[in-house]
Amino acid sequence: MAYRYDDDLEFLESCKDEDLEILVNHLTKDKDGDARFTEELTMNENYKKYYPQHSKYWREIAAEIQCFGGNTFATMLRGGKGVVYKEVLCDVCDKLKVNYNKNSSCEMIESYLLQKVLIDSLDKMSPEERESLARELGMNNTSAITAQALIGSFQALFKLGGFKSYQILVIVANAISKALFGTGLKFATNAALTRIASVLTGPIGWIITGLWTAVDIAGPAYRITIPAVFAVATLRLKSKANEFNF
């Protein structure tokens, strides 16, 4: 296993050990907490030397993602190097039927992936949950609001970009992280965001539960790469916290 330089994973170097813990645990253990037979990370000398100081062997963590995303035989021919992260990300998006542009940045493609989970979760909401979410978003005439109206509002919000869009993506990413890994990342937040998160967490959890079933059917590689991509997307959002003073 060898790290292939990947501009889209270099940010992992600046991540905190406690945040990388989620990714390391996922790459080395299955959802029942048992050791993965296919992982190589725990056999790496830097892992043995520095664990649990994950930031000291971030390249090995990145290499593990790259290798899980590549065909085993092809990886051997590449001298133990896997594929770049964008290839893994696009493969996951194709599998989950995400509408995206392959020429977009990884950050934007990850945003499309998170948006799809959010939009799919809106259909799972009760009328009361939709009304509560619309209220928290500051919308007028929230009574009997439809999923389509909320979808339109979110799509408009994401098109504008900026801080509000970032906040919603953080909430979605953390809800996904809690559903997949049992924990999220620690962000500074306010009461309004906490209320929005409380409305979204349940429906997003149902979406992820259904997704996990589909992943089990899809095969062992996707059981690793799909959650890993969600974890990387969450870490990338966390890394932007200083930019947004969040």
Side-chain angles (χ1 to χ4, degrees), residues 175-218:
I176 292 170
S177 182
K178 288 175 182 176
L180 284 174
F181 312 119
T183 185
L185 301 183
K186 294 178 182 178
F187 288 84
T189 188
N190 60 36
L193 291 181
T194 301
R195 290 193 296 268
I196 292 173
S198 68
V199 177
L200 285 175
T201 297
I204 286 177
W206 299 329
I207 291 293
I208 294 301
T209 298
L211 171 63
W212 197 252
T213 302
V215 169
D216 278 345
I217 295 170

Side-chain angles (χ1 to χ4, degrees), residues 9 11-28 41 51-59 61-62 65 185 231-232 235-236 238:
L9 291 178
F11 81 95
L12 293 176
E13 181 180 15
S14 62
C15 291
K16 295 180 179 179
D17 294 332
E18 63 188 56
D19 292 336
L20 288 169
E21 180 84 9
I22 293 173
L23 187 53
V24 171
N25 282 342
H26 169 64
L27 293 172
T28 58
L41 185 59
Y51 182 92
Q53 294 176 285
H54 311 301
S55 55
K56 289 185 179 293
Y57 62 94
W58 69 269
R59 287 185 181 86
I61 297 170
I65 298 169
L185 301 183
V232 170
L235 288 168
R236 197 185 311 277
K238 178 70 180 287

Side-chain angles (χ1 to χ4, degrees), residues 18-232:
E18 63 188 56
D19 292 336
L20 288 169
E21 180 84 9
I22 293 173
L23 187 53
V24 171
N25 282 342
H26 169 64
L27 293 172
T28 58
K29 301 173 186 176
D30 63 23
K31 62 180 181 177
D32 296 319
D34 298 323
R36 293 191 187 280
F37 293 115
T38 52
E39 62 90 13
E40 296 182 37
L41 185 59
T42 58
M43 294 179 280
N44 186 275
E45 288 304 314
N46 282 336
Y47 172 94
K48 294 176 183 178
K49 181 178 180 180
Y50 294 116
Y51 182 92
Q53 294 176 285
H54 311 301
S55 55
K56 289 185 179 293
Y57 62 94
W58 69 269
R59 287 185 181 86
E60 285 75 16
I61 297 170
E64 191 81 356
I65 298 169
Q66 293 173 333
C67 288
F68 271 126
N71 174 275
T72 303
F73 183 66
T75 297
M76 290 172 60
L77 294 178
R78 286 191 293 262
K81 293 184 178 181
V83 298
V84 294
Y85 172 71
K86 189 170 188 179
E87 189 172 326
V88 182
L89 172 61
C90 289
D91 183 52
V92 165
C93 286
D94 290 340
K95 192 68 181 177
L96 301 184
K97 297 180 173 56
V98 177
N99 185 19
Y100 70 98
N101 184 334
K102 288 188 177 181
N103 294 321
S104 297
S105 66
C106 278
E107 182 179 346
M108 184 60 68
I109 296 173
E110 287 169 348
S111 171
Y112 293 142
L113 175 60
L114 296 174
Q115 287 176 47
K116 184 182 191 306
V117 173
L118 170 62
I119 288 170
D120 287 352
S121 72
L122 298 179
D123 281 328
K124 299 289 185 181
M125 286 185 173
S126 67
E128 293 76 19
E129 287 173 325
R130 285 198 295 267
E131 185 176 342
S132 176
L133 179 58
R135 252 194 332 267
E136 295 300 337
L137 291 171
M139 297 175 63
N140 297 319
N141 302 318
T142 59
S143 181
I145 192 164
T146 64
Q148 286 304 313
L150 274 175
I151 289 171
S153 297
F154 277 118
Q155 287 174 334
L157 178 66
F158 289 127
K159 194 171 183 179
L160 287 173
F163 184 52
K164 192 68 176 179
S165 173
Y166 169 78
Q167 287 179 318
I168 298 300
L169 288 177
V170 165
I171 289 171
V172 173
N174 255 4
I176 292 170
S177 182
K178 288 175 182 176
L180 284 174
F181 312 119
T183 185
L185 301 183
K186 294 178 182 178
F187 288 84
T189 188
N190 60 36
L193 291 181
T194 301
R195 290 193 296 268
I196 292 173
S198 68
V199 177
L200 285 175
T201 297
I204 286 177
W206 299 329
I207 291 293
I208 294 301
T209 298
L211 171 63
W212 197 252
T213 302
V215 169
D216 278 345
I217 295 170
Y222 286 109
R223 291 175 202 155
I224 300 167
T225 57
I226 291 178
V229 162
F230 280 121
V232 170

